[in-house]
């Protein structure tokens, strides 16, 4: 009955869009390191390639987030998914091009690599996908639009579960398909098809959620200009939303708790970027795993997160606070990153279990807390700038992770453990500071 209720909720269309997008994205995770090496790259180039997406998402996400406040979430999601589809087509083109050498390097800092023409095209694809990659922040803004205070935690838990489900199927499917005679090209073909499906679902199934945007018609070649036109309803009367620079970064930064939340956003993505940069290199070199084994490892993690973000968070909704879930989750993540540094299969899966529990508790709760901040009209900008914090952290984390793993190997996960310990301390200190201020203000409120 609970599953049936889940599939009949008003949030199902955005959950489906999120799931399809994550499925297409996660398919490439277990095989990308092998593609890079096959085309002439190494761990250093893998880290640089990984940083291209967040670097250009840092530029694109705030633009798309603010644009979604103006022209609507649905239209921006369409633009984002079209960009993703084009990026996958460029990926496929890289498999066809000859491995023409453009330049090579062999130094202590970068290691030995050859920059080939198809490898360069992968960089172009990731750049394009990153610049149009505002789908996550816009999807979170959409969910904030349709959620109430009563169901917000549960809805963001469901969003997290749909993300995890995509991460379960994506790596598992990639590992299976990559072992066929077509090799790594087959998962990329599937990712491109999935992106097309996502575009269809958004156009046909996803209603506009921004209450202040009037639908300007369906999408088509003849209505392309009309697609970007917008008429606004007079929905909000707050002074902040009526000013021309209401959604600027400095205005957003002045909102209560935003500096702390953006700091947590940055630190979380920094730690996980070290993980995603180091794990594939760790798996392919020291552990000597295949793409299938790495896919199983990632799929196992996502299966646990589905259970945490779905049934568990639905049960905890209204019973425990977001702050408690964020603090507990960050503590579990700190422990998990510590155990990841130990090269033992049993301990690695134990660390993966802790990581999945921690991430499943922390991140949906954090996004729910972020969605409560500011005026609903500002959610696109708030989520977009938050996404930029994550992108900014990923740029450094992915490059740094690739470089550090070449020198200190598994110790890079210890750095991630320290980062999550810092997140835990920031959340706890801010909680008690806020509680103390509230208690100090109560007497004056009573006397008034």
């Amino acid at each position: 009955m609970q599953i049936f209720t889940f599939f009949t909720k008003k949030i199902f269309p955005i959950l489906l869009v999120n799931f399809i997008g994550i499925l297409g994205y996660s398919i490439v995770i277990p095989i990308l390191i092998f593609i890079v090496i096959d085309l002439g790259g190494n761990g250093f180039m893998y880290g640089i390639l990984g940083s291209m997406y967040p670097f250009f998402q840092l530029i694109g996400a705030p633009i798309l987030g603010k644009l979604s406040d103006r022209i609507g979430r649905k239209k921006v999601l369409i633009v984002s998914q079209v960009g993703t589809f084009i990026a996958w087509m460029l990926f496929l083109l890289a498999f066809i091009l000859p491995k023409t050498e453009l330049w090579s390097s062999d130094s202590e800092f970068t290691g030995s690599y050859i920059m080939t023409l198809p490898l360069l095209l992968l960089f172009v694809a990731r750049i394009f996908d990153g610049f149009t990659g505002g789908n996550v922040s816009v999807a979170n803004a959409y969910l904030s639009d349709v959620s109430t205070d009563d169901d917000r935690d549960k809805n963001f838990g469901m969003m997290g579960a749909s993300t995890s489900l995509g991460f379960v199927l994506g790596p598992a499917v990639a590992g299976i398909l990559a072992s066929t005679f077509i090799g790594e090209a087959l998962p990329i073909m599937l990712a491109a098809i999935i992106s097309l499906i996502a575009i269809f679902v958004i156009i046909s199934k996803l209603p506009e959620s921004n209450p202040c945007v009037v639908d300007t018609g369906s999408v088509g070649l003849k209505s392309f200009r009309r697609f970007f036109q917008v008429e606004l309803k007079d929905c909000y009367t707050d002074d902040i939303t009526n000013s021309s620079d209401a959604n600027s970064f400095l205005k957003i930064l002045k909102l209560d708790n935003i500096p702390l939340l953006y700091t947590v956003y940055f630190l979380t993505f920094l730690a996980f970027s070290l993980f995603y940069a180091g794990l594939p290199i760790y798996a392919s070199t020291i552990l000597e795993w295949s793409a299938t084994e790495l896919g199983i490892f990632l799929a196992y993690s996502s299966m646990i997160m589905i259970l945490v973000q779905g049934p568990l968070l639905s049960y905890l909704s209204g019973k425990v606070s977001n702050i408690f879930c964020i603090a507990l989750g960050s503590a579990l993540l700190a422990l998990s990153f510590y155990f990841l540094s130990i090269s033992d299969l049993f301990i690695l899966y134990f660390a993966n279990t802790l990581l999945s529990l921690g991430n499943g508790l922390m991140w949906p709760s954090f996004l729910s807390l972020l969605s409560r901040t500011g005026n609903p009209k500002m959610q696109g900008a708030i989520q977009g700038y938050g996404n930029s914090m994550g992108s900014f952290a990923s740029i450094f984390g992915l490059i740094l992770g690739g470089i550090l793993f070449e020198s200190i190997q598994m110790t890079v996960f210890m750095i991630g453990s320290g980062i999550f310990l810092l997140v835990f301390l920031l959340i706890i200190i801010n909680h008690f500071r806020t509680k103390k201020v509230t208690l100090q203000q109560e007497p004056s409120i009573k006397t008034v």
Side-chain angles (χ1 to χ4, degrees), residues 69 73 141 144-145 152 210-211 236 238 241 371-382:
D69 288 333
R73 318 293 188 206
S144 179
D145 292 339
R152 191 176 303 273
N210 192 333
Y236 301 98
D238 305 64
T241 58
S371 73
R372 299 174 190 270
T373 307
N375 193 294
K377 184 74 183 298
M378 306 168 71
Q379 269 302 307
I382 290 172

Side-chain angles (χ1 to χ4, degrees), residues 16 26 52-53 59 80 91 106 145 153 165 206 239 298 333 352 363 369 371 378 382 390 400 420-421 425:
L16 181 60
S26 64
M52 289 296 99
Y53 182 92
I59 302 170
S80 181
F91 252 83
D106 187 4
D145 292 339
D153 292 346
L165 183 60
L206 193 71
D239 291 338
L298 294 172
L333 285 166
N352 198 7
W363 195 242
L369 188 63
S371 73
M378 306 168 71
I382 290 172
L400 191 63
F420 277 117
L421 181 60
L425 292 175

